[in-house]
Amino acid sequence: MENEKKVTFYLVRHGETQYNVEKRMQGFCDSPLTEKGILQAKSVGKGLSDIPFKAAYASDSQRVLDTAKYAIASRDIPLNVDPRFKEMNFGVLESLLEEEILAQYGNILKTLFSLEDLHISAPEGESYVQLFTRTEKAIEEIVKKYSADGGNILIFSHGVTIGNYIRQITKGSEFPVHENCSVSVVSYVNGQPLVERTADRYYREKGHECLNK
């Protein structure tokens, strides 16, 4: 264990989607990237272009796969699809508008996002604990795979999935809100995580400036 080398994860939230614009609950359900979302994906990819990556991983949601495709572009980075990086399952709330949820289920969103109970879930959905368990398992497997040589790994995922993961490994009280194509950076050395960046727009904005030159 003490001879393990540093493995650094760059966790990227997907670009803006149609459901994001419409403010629909989007977890396991899916909607396409908007033109803005495509530009965000290209921008974050450009912003990360000077960092060497051993591999990339993505949730199996199409919005994430498309984000990965636009971000990686022509770079020779192998992309692995892993459903454990999927967004939280919001059960019966999936694809509903906020006002529809309020009308049908009252203040369930306030309860769900209060984070007072990590075991709570929407009906037929999953809890923060369940979400963290699958995310952590996937991360641990990747760390084990690459710890002998170390290196950087790209992960394309979702806002709640990334935010929940960071909150639970840091045992923090805040839930970092991830904008579309923001990047969080987490390093592992000898099994211990260190959060270096959280929901950072730097790479997206850097890439956007480069693309506009």
Side-chain angles (χ1 to χ4, degrees), residues 52-70:
F53 290 101
K54 291 284 187 71
Y57 290 78
S59 128
D60 60 354
S61 295
Q62 194 60 49
R63 62 189 183 273
V64 173
L65 293 172
D66 288 344
T67 299
K69 177 185 72 174
Y70 286 116

Side-chain angles (χ1 to χ4, degrees), residues 39-59:
L39 177 58
Q40 289 171 334
K42 291 178 178 179
S43 296
V44 77
K46 184 67 174 178
L48 293 165
S49 62
D50 58 349
I51 299 173
F53 290 101
K54 291 284 187 71
Y57 290 78
S59 128

Side-chain angles (χ1 to χ4, degrees), residues 45-210:
K46 184 67 174 178
L48 293 165
S49 62
D50 58 349
I51 299 173
F53 290 101
K54 291 284 187 71
Y57 290 78
S59 128
D60 60 354
S61 295
Q62 194 60 49
R63 62 189 183 273
V64 173
L65 293 172
D66 288 344
T67 299
K69 177 185 72 174
Y70 286 116
I72 293 173
S74 60
R75 296 185 67 183
D76 185 20
I77 304 172
L79 179 63
N80 305 277
V81 179
D82 192 329
R84 291 175 296 182
F85 290 119
K86 205 177 183 82
E87 182 60 293
M88 176 183 271
N89 182 357
F90 293 111
V92 298
L93 308 182
E94 293 280 347
S95 79
L96 295 181
L97 293 165
E98 291 179 5
E99 55 263 34
E100 292 174 332
I101 295 171
L102 183 62
Q104 296 178 44
Y105 299 99
N107 290 322
I108 188 171
L109 289 184
K110 183 177 181 181
T111 302
L112 185 63
F113 292 119
S114 71
L115 304 173
E116 292 177 0
D117 182 359
L118 298 183
H119 292 276
I120 199 170
S121 67
E124 300 177 25
E126 66 181 332
S127 70
Y128 293 103
V129 171
Q130 291 172 318
L131 173 61
F132 177 73
T133 298
R134 62 174 165 87
T135 308
E136 182 186 40
K137 182 66 174 175
I139 292 284
E140 286 178 348
E141 289 180 9
I142 299 170
V143 170
K144 184 177 181 180
K145 180 176 181 179
Y146 290 97
S147 60
D149 298 318
N152 302 312
I153 307 295
L154 259 175
I155 295 181
F156 295 93
S157 187
H158 306 258
V160 176
T161 301
I162 299 171
N164 180 59
Y165 172 68
I166 289 176
R167 183 178 187 268
Q168 295 206 45
I169 63 172
T170 60
K171 297 179 171 57
S173 58
E174 297 295 320
F175 193 103
V177 177
H178 284 70
E179 292 185 11
N180 295 109
C181 286
S182 59
V183 180
S184 292
V185 181
V186 181
S187 294
Y188 276 80
V189 178
N190 296 324
Q192 298 301 312
L194 173 65
V195 178
E196 300 182 12
R197 292 177 183 258
T198 303
D200 198 334
R201 296 173 298 183
Y202 168 75
Y203 295 107
R204 188 190 74 191
E205 293 174 353
K206 173 187 175 185
H208 185 72
E209 290 179 4
C210 291

Side-chain angles (χ1 to χ4, degrees), residues 26-44:
Q26 185 177 228
F28 270 33
C29 69
D30 212 357
S31 69
L33 296 179
T34 62
E35 287 301 315
K36 179 180 179 181
I38 293 172
L39 177 58
Q40 289 171 334
K42 291 178 178 179
S43 296
V44 77

